[in-house]
Amino acid sequence: MKNRFHRYQKFLLIGLIIILGVILLPKLKPEQKWEYPPAVMNESDNYFDYQSGLECSGYSSAYILRFFGESADGKRLYENFPGKIPQGATPDGIVTFFRTEGYSIEFKKNASIEELKHDISLGVLVISFIRVNMEEPYTHYVPIIGYDEDYFYFAESLPYMANCQDEELPYNRKTSIEEYKNLCKNVQGMYQCPYFVISKQ
């Protein structure tokens, strides 16, 4: 009887160790350390054009193409943009568009602010997928062209969101990193800090 009791205790202890391992091991895994300078601004010979409807997928994509030296107009791009839905275009549409144009693109989901800064610091632009603001559920695609310790800097295509109108600046919107953390949270009820990294193949 004693042996059976000790055997039972042994199995119970092994089971407890396995359960604790499953719960605690992921938390003990070290987080990725992302390296990036304190401030970056990816400037190019570009311009801002403004959407009149729900065409941010076309306008943000056009800005990226111009960054890489191509001629592109947001309104025209959107006319035949892939993945169009009544609210604009799907993330898959953005991926399809750039792959069709011969670019390399990665759609990152559940990233961290540190990973986003790291990617921007590589000298390419990213298209961020965020909510327009905290009051509305609508989503928005917008290129981020730089950052510093306090702000992200955008090439904004929504006229009412462009809060930096100085023509000498390479950006037309700045948003505090703290506000951005909220705008990129739970996008479409499923993504945390989603964005696209686009580069020439």
PDB file of all heavy atoms in Angstrom, residues 159-190:
ATOM      1  N   PRO A 159      -6.393  64.012 -45.458  1.00  0.00           N
ATOM      2  CA  PRO A 159      -6.094  65.433 -45.229  1.00  0.00           C
ATOM      3  C   PRO A 159      -6.330  65.887 -43.797  1.00  0.00           C
ATOM      4  O   PRO A 159      -5.541  66.665 -43.253  1.00  0.00           O
ATOM      5  CB  PRO A 159      -7.027  66.165 -46.199  1.00  0.00           C
ATOM      6  CG  PRO A 159      -7.816  65.146 -46.922  1.00  0.00           C
ATOM      7  CD  PRO A 159      -7.345  63.785 -46.524  1.00  0.00           C
ATOM      8  N   TYR A 160      -7.372  65.366 -43.149  1.00  0.00           N
ATOM      9  CA  TYR A 160      -7.686  65.847 -41.792  1.00  0.00           C
ATOM     10  C   TYR A 160      -6.770  65.244 -40.722  1.00  0.00           C
ATOM     11  O   TYR A 160      -6.777  65.684 -39.572  1.00  0.00           O
ATOM     12  CB  TYR A 160      -9.154  65.590 -41.446  1.00  0.00           C
ATOM     13  CG  TYR A 160      -9.558  64.134 -41.347  1.00  0.00           C
ATOM     14  CD1 TYR A 160      -9.484  63.437 -40.142  1.00  0.00           C
ATOM     15  CD2 TYR A 160     -10.042  63.464 -42.460  1.00  0.00           C
ATOM     16  CE1 TYR A 160      -9.861  62.113 -40.061  1.00  0.00           C
ATOM     17  CE2 TYR A 160     -10.428  62.138 -42.387  1.00  0.00           C
ATOM     18  CZ  TYR A 160     -10.333  61.466 -41.183  1.00  0.00           C
ATOM     19  OH  TYR A 160     -10.711  60.149 -41.105  1.00  0.00           O
ATOM     20  N   MET A 161      -5.940  64.249 -41.104  1.00  0.00           N
ATOM     21  CA  MET A 161      -4.988  63.680 -40.149  1.00  0.00           C
ATOM     22  C   MET A 161      -3.581  64.258 -40.327  1.00  0.00           C
ATOM     23  O   MET A 161      -2.702  64.006 -39.514  1.00  0.00           O
ATOM     24  CB  MET A 161      -4.934  62.156 -40.306  1.00  0.00           C
ATOM     25  CG  MET A 161      -6.226  61.437 -39.948  1.00  0.00           C
ATOM     26  SD  MET A 161      -6.760  61.720 -38.237  1.00  0.00           S
ATOM     27  CE  MET A 161      -5.489  60.852 -37.324  1.00  0.00           C
ATOM     28  N   ALA A 162      -3.373  65.031 -41.386  1.00  0.00           N
ATOM     29  CA  ALA A 162      -2.052  65.640 -41.633  1.00  0.00           C
ATOM     30  C   ALA A 162      -1.901  66.848 -40.706  1.00  0.00           C
ATOM     31  O   ALA A 162      -2.545  67.870 -40.899  1.00  0.00           O
ATOM     32  CB  ALA A 162      -1.935  66.055 -43.095  1.00  0.00           C
ATOM     33  N   ASN A 163      -1.058  66.731 -39.695  1.00  0.00           N
ATOM     34  CA  ASN A 163      -0.932  67.791 -38.688  1.00  0.00           C
ATOM     35  C   ASN A 163       0.380  68.570 -38.781  1.00  0.00           C
ATOM     36  O   ASN A 163       0.705  69.356 -37.904  1.00  0.00           O
ATOM     37  CB  ASN A 163      -1.116  67.221 -37.272  1.00  0.00           C
ATOM     38  CG  ASN A 163      -0.132  66.099 -36.960  1.00  0.00           C
ATOM     39  OD1 ASN A 163       0.840  65.898 -37.676  1.00  0.00           O
ATOM     40  ND2 ASN A 163      -0.395  65.365 -35.891  1.00  0.00           N
ATOM     41  N   CYS A 164       1.151  68.338 -39.850  1.00  0.00           N
ATOM     42  CA  CYS A 164       2.404  69.069 -40.071  1.00  0.00           C
ATOM     43  C   CYS A 164       2.392  69.572 -41.507  1.00  0.00           C
ATOM     44  O   CYS A 164       2.653  68.800 -42.440  1.00  0.00           O
ATOM     45  CB  CYS A 164       3.613  68.162 -39.844  1.00  0.00           C
ATOM     46  SG  CYS A 164       3.710  67.450 -38.193  1.00  0.00           S
ATOM     47  N   GLN A 165       2.088  70.831 -41.697  1.00  0.00           N
ATOM     48  CA  GLN A 165       1.883  71.355 -43.047  1.00  0.00           C
ATOM     49  C   GLN A 165       3.080  72.110 -43.618  1.00  0.00           C
ATOM     50  O   GLN A 165       2.996  72.673 -44.696  1.00  0.00           O
ATOM     51  CB  GLN A 165       0.652  72.291 -43.042  1.00  0.00           C
ATOM     52  CG  GLN A 165      -0.640  71.618 -42.600  1.00  0.00           C
ATOM     53  CD  GLN A 165      -1.095  70.525 -43.549  1.00  0.00           C
ATOM     54  OE1 GLN A 165      -0.718  70.512 -44.709  1.00  0.00           O
ATOM     55  NE2 GLN A 165      -1.905  69.599 -43.059  1.00  0.00           N
ATOM     56  N   ASP A 166       4.205  72.113 -42.911  1.00  0.00           N
ATOM     57  CA  ASP A 166       5.397  72.806 -43.395  1.00  0.00           C
ATOM     58  C   ASP A 166       5.943  72.076 -44.632  1.00  0.00           C
ATOM     59  O   ASP A 166       6.288  70.895 -44.568  1.00  0.00           O
ATOM     60  CB  ASP A 166       6.460  72.827 -42.289  1.00  0.00           C
ATOM     61  CG  ASP A 166       7.669  73.672 -42.663  1.00  0.00           C
ATOM     62  OD1 ASP A 166       7.888  73.914 -43.870  1.00  0.00           O
ATOM     63  OD2 ASP A 166       8.399  74.079 -41.750  1.00  0.00           O
ATOM     64  N   GLU A 167       6.018  72.757 -45.753  1.00  0.00           N
ATOM     65  CA  GLU A 167       6.440  72.130 -47.011  1.00  0.00           C
ATOM     66  C   GLU A 167       7.892  71.681 -46.988  1.00  0.00           C
ATOM     67  O   GLU A 167       8.312  70.880 -47.816  1.00  0.00           O
ATOM     68  CB  GLU A 167       6.209  73.095 -48.179  1.00  0.00           C
ATOM     69  CG  GLU A 167       4.734  73.319 -48.464  1.00  0.00           C
ATOM     70  CD  GLU A 167       4.520  74.248 -49.643  1.00  0.00           C
ATOM     71  OE1 GLU A 167       5.515  74.614 -50.304  1.00  0.00           O
ATOM     72  OE2 GLU A 167       3.359  74.602 -49.892  1.00  0.00           O
ATOM     73  N   GLU A 168       8.679  72.209 -46.067  1.00  0.00           N
ATOM     74  CA  GLU A 168      10.092  71.829 -45.987  1.00  0.00           C
ATOM     75  C   GLU A 168      10.289  70.481 -45.290  1.00  0.00           C
ATOM     76  O   GLU A 168      11.353  69.879 -45.386  1.00  0.00           O
ATOM     77  CB  GLU A 168      10.880  72.902 -45.215  1.00  0.00           C
ATOM     78  CG  GLU A 168      10.832  74.287 -45.838  1.00  0.00           C
ATOM     79  CD  GLU A 168      11.409  74.298 -47.243  1.00  0.00           C
ATOM     80  OE1 GLU A 168      12.488  73.712 -47.436  1.00  0.00           O
ATOM     81  OE2 GLU A 168      10.767  74.869 -48.149  1.00  0.00           O
ATOM     82  N   LEU A 169       9.261  70.007 -44.595  1.00  0.00           N
ATOM     83  CA  LEU A 169       9.395  68.754 -43.854  1.00  0.00           C
ATOM     84  C   LEU A 169       9.208  67.548 -44.770  1.00  0.00           C
ATOM     85  O   LEU A 169       8.402  67.590 -45.696  1.00  0.00           O
ATOM     86  CB  LEU A 169       8.349  68.694 -42.724  1.00  0.00           C
ATOM     87  CG  LEU A 169       8.477  69.729 -41.609  1.00  0.00           C
ATOM     88  CD1 LEU A 169       7.277  69.649 -40.665  1.00  0.00           C
ATOM     89  CD2 LEU A 169       9.771  69.512 -40.826  1.00  0.00           C
ATOM     90  N   PRO A 170       9.926  66.451 -44.498  1.00  0.00           N
ATOM     91  CA  PRO A 170       9.753  65.244 -45.314  1.00  0.00           C
ATOM     92  C   PRO A 170       8.527  64.419 -44.900  1.00  0.00           C
ATOM     93  O   PRO A 170       8.253  63.380 -45.491  1.00  0.00           O
ATOM     94  CB  PRO A 170      11.046  64.457 -45.055  1.00  0.00           C
ATOM     95  CG  PRO A 170      11.473  64.892 -43.695  1.00  0.00           C
ATOM     96  CD  PRO A 170      11.043  66.330 -43.549  1.00  0.00           C
ATOM     97  N   TYR A 171       7.814  64.863 -43.872  1.00  0.00           N
ATOM     98  CA  TYR A 171       6.614  64.174 -43.385  1.00  0.00           C
ATOM     99  C   TYR A 171       5.495  65.190 -43.243  1.00  0.00           C
ATOM    100  O   TYR A 171       5.735  66.399 -43.199  1.00  0.00           O
ATOM    101  CB  TYR A 171       6.893  63.492 -42.038  1.00  0.00           C
ATOM    102  CG  TYR A 171       7.402  64.442 -40.978  1.00  0.00           C
ATOM    103  CD1 TYR A 171       6.538  65.161 -40.156  1.00  0.00           C
ATOM    104  CD2 TYR A 171       8.779  64.638 -40.799  1.00  0.00           C
ATOM    105  CE1 TYR A 171       7.013  66.042 -39.204  1.00  0.00           C
ATOM    106  CE2 TYR A 171       9.267  65.513 -39.847  1.00  0.00           C
ATOM    107  CZ  TYR A 171       8.376  66.211 -39.048  1.00  0.00           C
ATOM    108  OH  TYR A 171       8.852  67.091 -38.103  1.00  0.00           O
ATOM    109  N   ASN A 172       4.252  64.723 -43.177  1.00  0.00           N
ATOM    110  CA  ASN A 172       3.134  65.649 -42.974  1.00  0.00           C
ATOM    111  C   ASN A 172       2.266  65.276 -41.774  1.00  0.00           C
ATOM    112  O   ASN A 172       1.216  65.858 -41.554  1.00  0.00           O
ATOM    113  CB  ASN A 172       2.269  65.753 -44.239  1.00  0.00           C
ATOM    114  CG  ASN A 172       1.610  64.439 -44.614  1.00  0.00           C
ATOM    115  OD1 ASN A 172       1.925  63.394 -44.054  1.00  0.00           O
ATOM    116  ND2 ASN A 172       0.697  64.485 -45.567  1.00  0.00           N
ATOM    117  N   ARG A 173       2.716  64.289 -41.012  1.00  0.00           N
ATOM    118  CA  ARG A 173       1.996  63.936 -39.782  1.00  0.00           C
ATOM    119  C   ARG A 173       2.986  63.358 -38.787  1.00  0.00           C
ATOM    120  O   ARG A 173       3.883  62.602 -39.146  1.00  0.00           O
ATOM    121  CB  ARG A 173       0.915  62.894 -40.071  1.00  0.00           C
ATOM    122  CG  ARG A 173       0.228  62.349 -38.819  1.00  0.00           C
ATOM    123  CD  ARG A 173      -0.772  61.248 -39.148  1.00  0.00           C
ATOM    124  NE  ARG A 173      -1.273  60.615 -37.948  1.00  0.00           N
ATOM    125  CZ  ARG A 173      -2.059  59.544 -37.935  1.00  0.00           C
ATOM    126  NH1 ARG A 173      -2.447  58.981 -39.068  1.00  0.00           N
ATOM    127  NH2 ARG A 173      -2.481  59.012 -36.796  1.00  0.00           N
ATOM    128  N   LYS A 174       2.820  63.761 -37.534  1.00  0.00           N
ATOM    129  CA  LYS A 174       3.575  63.108 -36.470  1.00  0.00           C
ATOM    130  C   LYS A 174       2.604  62.673 -35.386  1.00  0.00           C
ATOM    131  O   LYS A 174       1.623  63.366 -35.097  1.00  0.00           O
ATOM    132  CB  LYS A 174       4.686  64.003 -35.921  1.00  0.00           C
ATOM    133  CG  LYS A 174       4.241  65.210 -35.130  1.00  0.00           C
ATOM    134  CD  LYS A 174       5.479  65.949 -34.624  1.00  0.00           C
ATOM    135  CE  LYS A 174       5.084  67.070 -33.675  1.00  0.00           C
ATOM    136  NZ  LYS A 174       6.258  67.749 -33.110  1.00  0.00           N
ATOM    137  N   THR A 175       2.872  61.511 -34.830  1.00  0.00           N
ATOM    138  CA  THR A 175       2.015  60.937 -33.794  1.00  0.00           C
ATOM    139  C   THR A 175       2.909  60.409 -32.686  1.00  0.00           C
ATOM    140  O   THR A 175       3.918  59.745 -32.978  1.00  0.00           O
ATOM    141  CB  THR A 175       1.163  59.786 -34.368  1.00  0.00           C
ATOM    142  OG1 THR A 175       0.310  60.309 -35.385  1.00  0.00           O
ATOM    143  CG2 THR A 175       0.313  59.124 -33.303  1.00  0.00           C
ATOM    144  N   SER A 176       2.562  60.711 -31.451  1.00  0.00           N
ATOM    145  CA  SER A 176       3.397  60.241 -30.348  1.00  0.00           C
ATOM    146  C   SER A 176       3.408  58.708 -30.329  1.00  0.00           C
ATOM    147  O   SER A 176       2.433  58.053 -30.716  1.00  0.00           O
ATOM    148  CB  SER A 176       2.891  60.779 -29.005  1.00  0.00           C
ATOM    149  OG  SER A 176       1.717  60.098 -28.607  1.00  0.00           O
ATOM    150  N   ILE A 177       4.512  58.168 -29.891  1.00  0.00           N
ATOM    151  CA  ILE A 177       4.643  56.714 -29.834  1.00  0.00           C
ATOM    152  C   ILE A 177       3.613  56.128 -28.880  1.00  0.00           C
ATOM    153  O   ILE A 177       3.050  55.054 -29.140  1.00  0.00           O
ATOM    154  CB  ILE A 177       6.083  56.324 -29.444  1.00  0.00           C
ATOM    155  CG1 ILE A 177       7.024  56.667 -30.610  1.00  0.00           C
ATOM    156  CG2 ILE A 177       6.184  54.846 -29.084  1.00  0.00           C
ATOM    157  CD1 ILE A 177       8.480  56.507 -30.342  1.00  0.00           C
ATOM    158  N   GLU A 178       3.312  56.843 -27.808  1.00  0.00           N
ATOM    159  CA  GLU A 178       2.299  56.351 -26.872  1.00  0.00           C
ATOM    160  C   GLU A 178       0.925  56.269 -27.536  1.00  0.00           C
ATOM    161  O   GLU A 178       0.183  55.308 -27.335  1.00  0.00           O
ATOM    162  CB  GLU A 178       2.239  57.251 -25.627  1.00  0.00           C
ATOM    163  CG  GLU A 178       3.435  57.102 -24.711  1.00  0.00           C
ATOM    164  CD  GLU A 178       3.725  55.645 -24.339  1.00  0.00           C
ATOM    165  OE1 GLU A 178       2.790  54.963 -23.875  1.00  0.00           O
ATOM    166  OE2 GLU A 178       4.868  55.206 -24.521  1.00  0.00           O
ATOM    167  N   GLU A 179       0.581  57.275 -28.343  1.00  0.00           N
ATOM    168  CA  GLU A 179      -0.701  57.236 -29.056  1.00  0.00           C
ATOM    169  C   GLU A 179      -0.689  56.129 -30.103  1.00  0.00           C
ATOM    170  O   GLU A 179      -1.672  55.415 -30.294  1.00  0.00           O
ATOM    171  CB  GLU A 179      -0.986  58.579 -29.733  1.00  0.00           C
ATOM    172  CG  GLU A 179      -2.340  58.595 -30.431  1.00  0.00           C
ATOM    173  CD  GLU A 179      -2.618  59.900 -31.171  1.00  0.00           C
ATOM    174  OE1 GLU A 179      -1.830  60.858 -31.041  1.00  0.00           O
ATOM    175  OE2 GLU A 179      -3.633  59.940 -31.885  1.00  0.00           O
ATOM    176  N   TYR A 180       0.446  55.985 -30.785  1.00  0.00           N
ATOM    177  CA  TYR A 180       0.557  54.949 -31.808  1.00  0.00           C
ATOM    178  C   TYR A 180       0.316  53.560 -31.219  1.00  0.00           C
ATOM    179  O   TYR A 180      -0.315  52.710 -31.851  1.00  0.00           O
ATOM    180  CB  TYR A 180       1.929  55.012 -32.475  1.00  0.00           C
ATOM    181  CG  TYR A 180       2.072  54.008 -33.597  1.00  0.00           C
ATOM    182  CD1 TYR A 180       1.581  54.300 -34.868  1.00  0.00           C
ATOM    183  CD2 TYR A 180       2.656  52.758 -33.378  1.00  0.00           C
ATOM    184  CE1 TYR A 180       1.684  53.367 -35.899  1.00  0.00           C
ATOM    185  CE2 TYR A 180       2.753  51.830 -34.401  1.00  0.00           C
ATOM    186  CZ  TYR A 180       2.266  52.141 -35.650  1.00  0.00           C
ATOM    187  OH  TYR A 180       2.349  51.215 -36.662  1.00  0.00           O
ATOM    188  N   LYS A 181       0.811  53.326 -30.014  1.00  0.00           N
ATOM    189  CA  LYS A 181       0.612  52.024 -29.369  1.00  0.00           C
ATOM    190  C   LYS A 181      -0.873  51.687 -29.263  1.00  0.00           C
ATOM    191  O   LYS A 181      -1.264  50.524 -29.371  1.00  0.00           O
ATOM    192  CB  LYS A 181       1.250  52.027 -27.971  1.00  0.00           C
ATOM    193  CG  LYS A 181       2.769  51.959 -27.997  1.00  0.00           C
ATOM    194  CD  LYS A 181       3.306  52.029 -26.576  1.00  0.00           C
ATOM    195  CE  LYS A 181       4.828  52.025 -26.566  1.00  0.00           C
ATOM    196  NZ  LYS A 181       5.370  52.178 -25.199  1.00  0.00           N
ATOM    197  N   ASN A 182      -1.702  52.698 -29.047  1.00  0.00           N
ATOM    198  CA  ASN A 182      -3.150  52.472 -28.982  1.00  0.00           C
ATOM    199  C   ASN A 182      -3.757  52.290 -30.369  1.00  0.00           C
ATOM    200  O   ASN A 182      -4.649  51.464 -30.563  1.00  0.00           O
ATOM    201  CB  ASN A 182      -3.838  53.632 -28.259  1.00  0.00           C
ATOM    202  CG  ASN A 182      -3.526  53.657 -26.781  1.00  0.00           C
ATOM    203  OD1 ASN A 182      -3.458  52.617 -26.139  1.00  0.00           O
ATOM    204  ND2 ASN A 182      -3.299  54.837 -26.230  1.00  0.00           N
ATOM    205  N   LEU A 183      -3.273  53.073 -31.339  1.00  0.00           N
ATOM    206  CA  LEU A 183      -3.826  52.988 -32.697  1.00  0.00           C
ATOM    207  C   LEU A 183      -3.521  51.650 -33.363  1.00  0.00           C
ATOM    208  O   LEU A 183      -4.266  51.208 -34.247  1.00  0.00           O
ATOM    209  CB  LEU A 183      -3.273  54.125 -33.563  1.00  0.00           C
ATOM    210  CG  LEU A 183      -3.680  55.547 -33.164  1.00  0.00           C
ATOM    211  CD1 LEU A 183      -2.973  56.563 -34.055  1.00  0.00           C
ATOM    212  CD2 LEU A 183      -5.186  55.724 -33.245  1.00  0.00           C
ATOM    213  N   CYS A 184      -2.413  51.011 -32.977  1.00  0.00           N
ATOM    214  CA  CYS A 184      -2.054  49.740 -33.616  1.00  0.00           C
ATOM    215  C   CYS A 184      -2.449  48.534 -32.776  1.00  0.00           C
ATOM    216  O   CYS A 184      -2.081  47.405 -33.081  1.00  0.00           O
ATOM    217  CB  CYS A 184      -0.555  49.701 -33.931  1.00  0.00           C
ATOM    218  SG  CYS A 184       0.514  49.496 -32.500  1.00  0.00           S
ATOM    219  N   LYS A 185      -3.233  48.779 -31.732  1.00  0.00           N
ATOM    220  CA  LYS A 185      -3.656  47.696 -30.845  1.00  0.00           C
ATOM    221  C   LYS A 185      -4.976  47.098 -31.331  1.00  0.00           C
ATOM    222  O   LYS A 185      -5.914  47.818 -31.646  1.00  0.00           O
ATOM    223  CB  LYS A 185      -3.831  48.253 -29.431  1.00  0.00           C
ATOM    224  CG  LYS A 185      -3.981  47.202 -28.349  1.00  0.00           C
ATOM    225  CD  LYS A 185      -4.273  47.840 -27.008  1.00  0.00           C
ATOM    226  CE  LYS A 185      -3.106  48.678 -26.525  1.00  0.00           C
ATOM    227  NZ  LYS A 185      -3.373  49.312 -25.226  1.00  0.00           N
ATOM    228  N   ASN A 186      -5.021  45.775 -31.416  1.00  0.00           N
ATOM    229  CA  ASN A 186      -6.257  45.059 -31.733  1.00  0.00           C
ATOM    230  C   ASN A 186      -6.888  45.531 -33.048  1.00  0.00           C
ATOM    231  O   ASN A 186      -8.086  45.731 -33.139  1.00  0.00           O
ATOM    232  CB  ASN A 186      -7.261  45.211 -30.573  1.00  0.00           C
ATOM    233  CG  ASN A 186      -8.249  44.078 -30.529  1.00  0.00           C
ATOM    234  OD1 ASN A 186      -7.940  42.955 -30.913  1.00  0.00           O
ATOM    235  ND2 ASN A 186      -9.449  44.359 -30.072  1.00  0.00           N
ATOM    236  N   VAL A 187      -6.068  45.723 -34.067  1.00  0.00           N
ATOM    237  CA  VAL A 187      -6.553  46.180 -35.374  1.00  0.00           C
ATOM    238  C   VAL A 187      -7.384  45.057 -36.007  1.00  0.00           C
ATOM    239  O   VAL A 187      -6.940  43.911 -36.075  1.00  0.00           O
ATOM    240  CB  VAL A 187      -5.372  46.573 -36.288  1.00  0.00           C
ATOM    241  CG1 VAL A 187      -5.863  46.957 -37.681  1.00  0.00           C
ATOM    242  CG2 VAL A 187      -4.582  47.714 -35.658  1.00  0.00           C
ATOM    243  N   GLN A 188      -8.569  45.392 -36.433  1.00  0.00           N
ATOM    244  CA  GLN A 188      -9.542  44.432 -36.976  1.00  0.00           C
ATOM    245  C   GLN A 188      -9.846  43.314 -35.989  1.00  0.00           C
ATOM    246  O   GLN A 188     -10.250  42.225 -36.370  1.00  0.00           O
ATOM    247  CB  GLN A 188      -9.059  43.844 -38.302  1.00  0.00           C
ATOM    248  CG  GLN A 188      -9.152  44.823 -39.464  1.00  0.00           C
ATOM    249  CD  GLN A 188      -8.947  44.157 -40.810  1.00  0.00           C
ATOM    250  OE1 GLN A 188      -8.275  43.145 -40.927  1.00  0.00           O
ATOM    251  NE2 GLN A 188      -9.530  44.749 -41.839  1.00  0.00           N
ATOM    252  N   GLY A 189      -9.623  43.586 -34.703  1.00  0.00           N
ATOM    253  CA  GLY A 189      -9.917  42.595 -33.671  1.00  0.00           C
ATOM    254  C   GLY A 189      -8.965  41.422 -33.634  1.00  0.00           C
ATOM    255  O   GLY A 189      -9.214  40.450 -32.924  1.00  0.00           O
ATOM    256  N   MET A 190      -7.825  41.503 -34.382  1.00  0.00           N
ATOM    257  CA  MET A 190      -6.934  40.332 -34.417  1.00  0.00           C
ATOM    258  C   MET A 190      -5.443  40.642 -34.451  1.00  0.00           C
ATOM    259  O   MET A 190      -4.636  39.793 -34.137  1.00  0.00           O
ATOM    260  CB  MET A 190      -7.284  39.449 -35.618  1.00  0.00           C
ATOM    261  CG  MET A 190      -7.059  40.090 -36.974  1.00  0.00           C
ATOM    262  SD  MET A 190      -7.495  38.954 -38.324  1.00  0.00           S
ATOM    263  CE  MET A 190      -9.184  39.467 -38.578  1.00  0.00           C
TER     264      MET A 190
END
